[in-house]
Structure formats: structure tokens, C-alpha cells
Amino acid sequence: MNYKSTRDNGVSVTAAQAIAQGICGDGGLFVPEKLPRFSYSDLCGMQHLGYAERAERILTAFLTDFTPEEIRDCVVKAYTGGKFDNDNPAPFTYLQNGKVNMYMLELWHGPTCAFKDMALQLLPHLLTKSLQKIKSGKTAVILVATSGDTGKAALEGFKDVEGTKILVFYPENGVSPMQKRQMDTQEGGNVSVCAIEGNFDDAQTGVKKLFTDRELNRLLEQNGMMFSSANSINWGRLLPQIVYYFSVYCDLMAHGEIDREGEEINIVVPTGNFGNILAAYYAKKMGLPVKKLICASNANNVLTEFLNTGVYNRSRPFHTTISPSMDILISSNLERLLYDLTGGDSAKVAGWMKELAVSGKYRVDDAVLARVQEQFFSGFCDDEATKATIKEIHNTENYVCDTHTAVAVNVYHQYVAQTDDTETPTVVVSTASPYKFAGSVLNAITGDASAASDFDKVKELSVVTGTPIPAPIAGLESKPVRFCGRCTAAAMQDTVLQITGIARK
Ligand SMILES: *Cc1c(COP(=O)(O)O)cnc(C)c1O
């Protein structure tokens, strides 16, 4: 199977090339030329497998230039080596909330306590194998723009991985205290972290510019290096995210929660860069029985507006919220959805992306909008509603969810109120441990607004809710801070030249 660019159908590269490169030279994103299908009997066949074996089945259908041994080696290293605090890296917890059945798909049992681990524990293995396959012989310089969780998960995944260097940019005022602490204390000889003066969009736009800067790419090449990406623009990030949607469906079958062929589920995803929900969309197209994909946003509701009206308009105030990993106005992966919904019309997609870059806005045609609305329900909520939802779920279900997951629960309630669909079993994607956002979660549950230290709030949350503090969070308090650099978005290139050692030559 080969991969095309969303902005140029003439491009055709292998999976290894797409993963090694991260983003296409024309600024487009790599997409598979067709999606494999999984039938009901395939699902039955996966029902009694472990997570790593399920991952192997899905990956095999996409990575046709990898050998079965290579794929097995990658998934075994990622998912069975004790990096997750649970045998099943993606377990669900059942909540009967009022009239509805919710299955909380907890994707935060990995080393950094957010769902990004699901992909970023695997990506370094896929990437090093891809580099060998394309015989690059170069060191991969992984540039990451993060709204908080990707950065830490990428650092943890790539630390001391041979043949790679990793540099993470995060918005200095756009991440939670725990997220910042997690990144600033990162260990490893090949890692760097830099705060930038700006928001996530500034960081992401800056990184995309660096990727496609010819002169900079030439300089890297002369020095035996090449750029790659650990953001969800990289196909190697997105592919592992398809797996857990199949996996939870298989778990629901195995538990008898789903007992009919073709029985549909809803999937609710708290969304920022549109990566996680796009993976759910691909799973649906691959044959997973899904009724609605429910896209939940916070006050940065650019996607809600787009999915409801067909107009994408990034020219709006940027809100810093208590769900910072969703504080995004340019959702990169939407480009992949548009490519798919236009039947692969790369010229049209390239045109819209150009309009977005030039005027901050584009409108899709009615046919595309109709297809969007068939598949998606979309809503948003602000910080007050997010907090009220955390409190309600805690009071009624004795379940503690983080701020991002609470946005999803809130929007799911909106969906039920508008559609009366109380019947369809619904998977709510729980994207982070509440302890990553302990201050906000504690405030939601107890009203606490004290100036106690971040670590005191973590401990308090544990006492109040009777839940254990995850080991990776507990361990942070005693770790020394290694990174405190900051730069402007305009100076990101200089930072890259310094970190790679090119500037000194
Ligand atoms: C990254 C992230 C999101 C948003 O995911 P996208 O794939 O960017 O849409 C939601 N919640 C948490 C906790 C995250 O880290």
C-alpha cells in the first residue's frame, strides 16, 4: 500500500517513506491510497487477542513494506514491556449515567498519563525501522509542537533512541503546571525542550514552516540529518490510534455488551488537532460499526462551527482554558478528512488550505458539508460547564475524569438531549489522567481555589477522591529541572540550528 499527499495526488511513497518524512514537501499530509476493510468475522477473530496482537492485525494491513517480524517486534516493545500500568493499555470503565450507557475508554495508563502514549510508545520503533528501510543513514531530528501532552509523550518515547534527536516547543503560558514540569525535567541525552512566546498555533505553524524550509533542510542534509515529526501530522502517529477503537469494540464484544453482528456504537472524542477523532473516522470506514462520531470542543470552538456550517474560520479570539491540550484553532488533521470526503480531490484540498493560510478562512461545498453531517455530531462547552460536569460525574458515579474528558461527557449529554439517542452504547474517549490537571479537577470537585503548590493539590485530590496518584506524577516532585529555555516563534529556526550543532560549525 502506498501513500499520497492530500495536496498532490501525483505523490506516491511507501509507508516507511511517509513515516520517516512525517510531512510531504508540498505541505500536504500523507494518506493511505485506500483503506483496508475489517469484517465482522475479523472482529470476532480479534476478540480474544491481547492488545499487541490486535495492533499487529491492524498495522499489517497498512504497513505492507514491513515484514511480519518487524511489525510484531514494534508492537511487543510498545505494549507489553510494562510501560503501561495495566495489562490492557486501553481498558474501559462502564458508567451508567442517568439513562445512558457510557464506556469510558481510558487511554492514560501509559508512562506520561495521556492518550498520546498510545501512539508515541510505538512511533519510535516504527520510525527507526522506516529509516533503515529507506537507507537514509541520517539522524532524524524530531521537531514537536505541543499543546502539552504530545511533547512529554514524544520525549519519553524517543529518549535515548539511537539515530534520533528530539526538540519540543511548547507555548509558555499554554500548558498546565504538571505538563510543564513533566517536560522540563525530561531525562535523556538526545532531548531538548524550549518554551515559546505564543500559543500552540504559533508553535505548530512555526514547526510546519521549518519542515518545509528548503535552505534549512539542505543544511541538515549536509550535516547528516533529516527532519521528522512526532505530531499527528505523521501517519505513524495516527495509525496506532486506529487500533484502540477496534480494541474497545472487541472488548465490548468479549464482555457481551455488544452481542449482535453490526451493532453500532457512538464514539465521543475531546478534540484539538482532529487526530484522535480522525482515527475513529478511519476505523468506521474500515468497517467498525459506528453510528455517530461526536466531536467535542472547548471554548475554542472552531471545529464545532465548521462541522455545523461548513465554514472554517480561524480568525477568532484564542481562549486559554482548563483543557489546554484542546486550545487549538488550526486543526491540522481536518485536511485528511476533507481529502477523504472529496473522494481524494487534492487540488480542491490544496485550494482550501491556501485560502486558510492567506485569509484565515475557507468554506467547503454543500456536498462535502452533507457528508460531514452524516458522520459527525459536534458541540462545545466552556470552563464552567466543564467543571460542573466533573463534579456531577464524581457525585453521581464516583468517577474522576480530567478536564478534557469532561468536555466530551458534556457534549455527549448535549447529543442525547438533541437526538434522544439513549440506546446506542457510547464510548467516551478519556484522554488524560485527572492528576495531570489536578488543580482544575480539585477546584471543580471541592471549590478549592487555594494557592497551595501543584504537588499539594495532587495529594489533596487523592485524599478527596480516594484514587491513587499515578507513579509518573508522584515521581516528578523530586526530579531536577533540566530545561528552562524560551524563544520567540520567529527564533525557532535559531534554536534548531543550536540544538543540532549546525550553528557552531
Ligand atoms: C492531545 C489531546 C487532546 C486532543 O487530541 P487531538 O488528537 O489533537 O484532537 C485531547 N485531550 C488530551 C488530554 C490531549 O492530550
Side-chain angles (χ1 to χ4, degrees):
M1 178 181 311
N2 275 351
Y3 292 76
K4 291 171 173 290
S5 162
T6 48
R7 298 189 194 176
D8 179 2
N9 273 334
V11 170
S12 181
V13 301
T14 61
Q17 182 71 39
I19 291 169
Q21 217 175 307
I23 187 169
C24 194
D26 58 18
L29 306 183
F30 289 115
V31 282
E33 61 192 0
K34 64 177 189 306
L35 290 170
R37 294 282 302 180
F38 282 73
S39 66
Y40 181 65
S41 77
D42 293 327
L43 290 172
C44 294
M46 290 201 284
Q47 205 187 127
H48 300 292
L49 300 181
Y51 192 86
E53 290 163 299
R54 289 173 184 166
E56 196 178 327
R57 298 254 170 124
I58 307 282
L59 264 57
T60 300
F62 284 96
L63 305 180
T64 51
D65 49 336
F66 283 57
T67 66
E69 293 71 32
E70 285 171 331
I71 291 176
R72 183 160 315 139
D73 185 54
C74 289
V75 297
V76 164
K77 280 184 177 144
Y79 300 122
T80 66
K83 296 275 186 64
F84 291 81
D85 69 7
N86 199 66
D87 284 345
N88 180 351
F92 73 80
T93 295
Y94 172 65
L95 298 182
Q96 196 197 14
N97 188 226
K99 285 180 296 187
V100 295
N101 296 310
M102 292 197 294
Y103 302 87
M104 309 301 289
L105 174 58
E106 296 178 354
L107 301 179
W108 39 262
H109 290 277
T112 77
C113 305
F115 88 90
K116 306 298 198 291
D117 288 327
M118 298 303 300
L120 283 162
Q121 283 298 308
L122 181 62
L123 179 65
H125 304 297
L126 295 177
L127 182 70
T128 41
K129 289 202 167 49
S130 297
L131 289 170
Q132 287 160 10
K133 278 180 194 301
I134 65 167
K135 301 199 169 50
S136 91
K138 298 198 186 89
T139 299
V141 177
I142 321 286
L143 290 187
V144 180
T146 184
S147 57
D149 291 326
T150 294
K152 177 61 184 179
L155 289 162
E156 202 53 42
F158 278 98
K159 80 170 173 209
D160 296 327
V161 170
E162 223 173 287
T164 70
K165 273 189 206 302
I166 172 162
L167 169 55
V168 170
F169 292 102
Y170 69 81
E172 65 175 341
N173 297 319
V175 300
S176 84
M178 271 316 136
Q179 290 176 316
K180 181 173 159 55
R181 182 79 170 217
Q182 279 187 314
M183 290 187 275
D184 290 348
T185 57
Q186 177 65 43
E187 291 156 2
N190 63 338
V191 305
S192 300
V193 175
C194 182
I196 72 149
E197 300 164 20
N199 60 36
F200 171 74
D201 291 317
D202 298 320
Q204 176 165 255
T205 305
V207 162
K208 275 194 189 167
K209 251 190 220 148
L210 298 176
F211 276 130
T212 47
D213 184 308
R214 290 220 174 145
E215 175 59 17
L216 185 60
N217 276 282
R218 198 184 55 76
L219 270 176
L220 251 71
E221 181 149 9
Q222 278 177 356
N223 287 275
M225 291 179 258
M226 67 183 276
F227 279 137
S228 189
S229 168
N231 280 101
S232 55
I233 54 177
N234 192 325
W235 178 251
R237 251 295 289 281
L238 221 45
L239 175 55
Q241 296 182 190
I242 295 174
V243 175
Y244 44 74
Y245 293 111
F246 278 93
S247 181
V248 71
Y249 194 91
C250 291
D251 284 340
L252 291 172
M253 288 168 75
H255 282 79
E257 305 281 336
I258 282 181
D259 50 15
R260 285 185 284 116
E261 176 170 351
E263 184 171 352
E264 290 184 326
I265 57 171
N266 293 317
I267 299 177
V268 194
V269 187
T271 303
N273 222 2
F274 209 76
N276 207 358
I277 195 164
L278 180 74
Y281 170 82
Y282 282 143
K284 181 177 185 190
K285 278 206 81 171
M286 288 163 64
L288 195 71
V290 177
K291 182 171 177 165
K292 278 285 176 188
L293 298 160
I294 301 173
C295 177
S297 300
N298 64 23
N300 295 294
N301 58 1
V302 62
L303 282 169
T304 316
E305 184 176 281
F306 172 76
L307 296 172
N308 287 319
T309 66
V311 176
Y312 196 96
N313 183 1
R314 58 162 290 203
S315 308
R316 59 179 67 226
F318 182 93
H319 300 285
T320 301
T321 73
I322 58 171
S323 43
S325 300
M326 294 154 66
D327 291 346
I328 293 175
L329 292 179
I330 307 174
S331 297
S332 292
N333 275 298
L334 193 60
E335 180 168 346
R336 285 187 164 112
L337 178 73
L338 296 177
Y339 181 83
D340 198 75
L341 292 179
T342 54
D345 190 337
S346 59
K348 217 177 218 178
V349 173
W352 288 329
M353 293 305 125
K354 192 159 180 207
E355 277 180 56
L356 182 64
V358 173
S359 69
K361 182 173 164 174
Y362 61 88
R363 173 195 289 275
V364 298
D365 45 69
D366 290 347
V368 170
L369 179 60
R371 272 176 230 135
V372 164
Q373 292 183 337
E374 232 169 79
Q375 311 272 348
F376 293 89
F377 175 92
S378 174
F380 74 99
C381 74
D382 64 12
D383 281 354
E384 285 315 306
T386 306
K387 284 195 252 176
T389 302
I390 292 173
K391 190 176 167 96
E392 194 248 339
I393 293 288
H394 181 249
N395 286 351
T396 58
E397 314 298 326
N398 201 23
Y399 186 79
V400 192
C401 67
D402 97 292
T403 47
H404 303 76
T405 307
V407 170
V409 172
N410 185 291
V411 171
Y412 174 52
H413 287 152
Q414 296 177 29
Y415 165 81
V416 173
Q418 284 181 37
T419 60
D420 272 332
D421 174 17
T422 52
E423 295 295 309
T424 312
T426 295
V427 169
V428 177
V429 179
S430 179
T431 49
S433 157
Y435 286 92
K436 278 196 105 159
F437 307 93
S440 301
V441 174
L442 185 65
N443 172 256
I445 292 175
T446 67
D448 170 279
S450 70
S453 81
D454 300 316
F455 286 104
D456 285 342
K457 291 191 178 184
V458 164
K459 288 168 202 157
E460 176 73 15
L461 184 62
S462 178
V463 172
V464 167
T465 62
T467 56
I469 304 171
I473 301 279
L476 276 182
E477 195 170 3
S478 57
K479 278 198 179 174
V481 169
R482 291 186 64 202
F483 300 100
C484 54
R486 64 199 279 268
C487 73
T488 60
M492 286 165 71
Q493 171 154 347
D494 297 336
T495 306
V496 171
L497 292 173
Q498 270 163 25
I499 299 296
T500 51
I502 294 175
R504 285 190 292 275
K505 288 192 180 149

